[in-house]
Amino acid sequence: LGRTWLLSEDVAEKDRLRQAKEQFTKLVEMDGRFVPALVALGTIAYQEGDAEEAMRKLDLARDLATPGEDRQQAENLKLEIVKRENMRRWRDDFDRPSSRTVGNGWSQTQVGAVQPTIRDGNVVVSGRMEEAGTVWLARGEPGLNEKFISVQAGVSTGPTDHVDAYLVVFQRRGTGAGGGEVTVGAAVGVGRNQRGELVQVERKPADRIFTATAVPGADGKPRLWPEGEVVLRVERIDPEEGTFALFVNGERVGTAPVGLRQKSGTVEIGLLVTANAAEQIDVVVSGVEMIRFK
C-alpha cells in the first residue's frame, strides 16, 4: 500500500507523502530490519526536505542489507542526495519589462537590426535578416567549467523559419569588435537546422565550424523539429572525458565527446540563431535553467 501511495498521482503531494510514510513506518515497526521500507522512508524524508533524516534511514538500510540490489539502491540514493545537496539551480524566466537588451548577465550579438530582445516575458529573436549571420545570446561565470552540470531551455521557432537554432555549451575565444560574431572553441549542443530537422551539434577545439548531425527516427530518417515549444538540454556526464548527453523534450537523443573537459578552461552557455540573408525569423526562448555544483 505504501508503494501505491508513492506512485499515486491523484492525491496532493503532501497527502501522498504523508500516507506513504504512515504505511512504510508501520512496516518498519513490524520488522525493523525490513530494508525496502527503510529505503522508502529515506526517500520520503528527502522529498519532505529533511536530508539528514534521509541519510540516517539510508545508512541503516545499507548496514542491514545483504550484498545485492537493496544495498546498492541505498548507496545510489545516498550518492544522489549528496550530489543534489551540493547543487545550485539558476534560472532566468525573462519575466521582466520589454527591452532591446536581455540583461541579467547575458551578453548578446546582432545581425543588422535582428538581435535578442525581451518581449512579453520571453527572449525573442525576430525580424528579416539583412545579411547571413549568427545572433548569439551567451552567459558565463567564474569557475563554471569545474561546476557545470546541465543547461536547458524552452525554444520555439516560426512555422516557416529556415534557421539553425542551437542550445550549446562552449568555450569562448573572443568577441568581434562592435558586438560581432562570438569566436568559439570547443562546443556541444542540440537544436534544429534550416531544414527543420533535429540535430546534435559539436565543434572540436581545432574545428572552424559547427558539425550538425541529424537525429535519426525509428525509420532511420531524420527526426523533425516538434511543433510548439521544444525543451532542449545539454548535460555533462563525464567531466574527465568531456562527454555530454543531449536531450529533446526529456528524451536522450545523443552523446558527444568534444574535448570540453572539466579543467580545459572557461565555458559558457549559449543560444545561437543562424539564417541566410532575407530570411524572416521568429525564435522565442521562454526560459533557461542551469544546474551547477556550489
Side-chain angles (χ1 to χ4, degrees):
L1 181 57
R3 186 177 300 276
T4 301
W5 280 115
L6 271 179
L7 297 175
S8 175
E9 296 182 357
D10 59 358
V11 293
E13 175 75 6
K14 289 183 178 180
D15 284 345
R16 181 176 67 86
L17 291 176
R18 177 182 58 79
Q19 295 179 65
K21 185 175 182 179
E22 289 176 358
Q23 298 301 322
F24 284 118
T25 299
K26 289 179 181 178
L27 290 173
V28 171
E29 289 173 350
M30 294 168 59
D31 181 358
R33 302 178 65 85
F34 188 36
V35 172
L38 289 168
V39 170
L41 287 173
T43 303
I44 293 168
Y46 188 69
Q47 290 176 316
E48 291 179 327
D50 191 342
E52 291 186 5
E53 177 62 18
M55 295 296 275
R56 281 194 290 269
K57 286 288 192 296
L58 293 171
D59 279 337
L60 179 58
R62 179 202 57 195
D63 294 341
L64 291 173
T66 56
E69 184 177 347
D70 286 341
R71 178 176 290 181
Q72 190 61 51
Q73 184 182 18
E75 286 287 1
N76 290 344
L77 285 169
K78 280 188 61 181
L79 289 173
E80 184 66 21
I81 289 173
V82 170
K83 181 179 177 181
R84 291 190 182 190
E85 286 298 293
N86 284 284
M87 288 180 182
R88 181 165 70 85
R89 188 181 304 269
W90 175 88
R91 183 173 179 85
D92 193 342
D93 288 308
F94 308 121
D95 51 351
R96 42 192 179 270
S98 296
S99 171
R100 290 187 58 80
T101 57
V102 176
N104 196 27
W106 292 97
S107 61
Q108 61 189 83
T109 68
Q110 64 188 80
V111 177
V114 179
Q115 67 183 69
T117 63
I118 296 289
R119 188 193 309 165
D120 299 326
N122 299 301
V123 165
V124 177
V125 183
S126 181
R128 188 171 299 279
M129 298 286 282
E130 299 174 9
E131 59 183 294
T134 300
V135 177
W136 275 88
L137 182 66
R139 182 186 176 93
E141 57 183 75
L144 179 59
N145 194 26
E146 290 78 15
K147 300 174 182 179
F148 175 83
I149 298 172
S150 69
V151 61
Q152 76 174 29
V155 180
S156 60
T157 60
T160 60
D161 279 0
H162 297 285
V163 299
D164 298 310
Y166 308 149
L167 171 68
V168 296
V169 178
F170 70 100
Q171 286 178 313
R172 181 191 288 263
R173 299 299 191 197
T175 303
E181 292 187 0
V182 175
T183 305
V184 178
V188 59
V190 62
R192 57 158 288 167
N193 62 19
Q194 295 185 20
R195 294 186 297 275
E197 299 166 343
L198 282 174
V199 293
Q200 69 175 62
V201 296
E202 58 183 280
R203 180 168 170 159
K204 301 290 176 54
D207 290 349
R208 296 178 62 86
I209 60 173
F210 282 96
T211 299
T213 305
V215 175
D219 58 1
K221 297 179 180 179
R223 290 175 56 177
L224 298 180
W225 178 258
E227 294 183 3
E229 183 178 83
V230 180
V231 179
L232 305 175
R233 187 165 98 246
V234 181
E235 181 175 317
R236 175 182 269 156
I237 56 176
D238 190 328
E240 296 301 321
E241 294 299 322
T243 304
F244 291 76
L246 309 170
F247 298 82
V248 175
N249 289 337
E251 177 189 355
R252 185 164 171 170
V253 297
T255 303
V258 294
L260 273 170
R261 295 179 175 84
Q262 195 171 44
K263 299 186 183 300
S264 61
T266 300
V267 301
E268 298 187 30
I269 58 175
L271 293 131
L272 63 148
V273 178
T274 302
N276 294 323
E279 290 289 351
Q280 175 68 36
I281 62 174
D282 187 17
V283 177
V284 177
V285 183
S286 63
V288 176
E289 180 177 275
M290 180 173 62
I291 299 176
R292 47 159 290 182
F293 289 114
K294 292 179 180 177

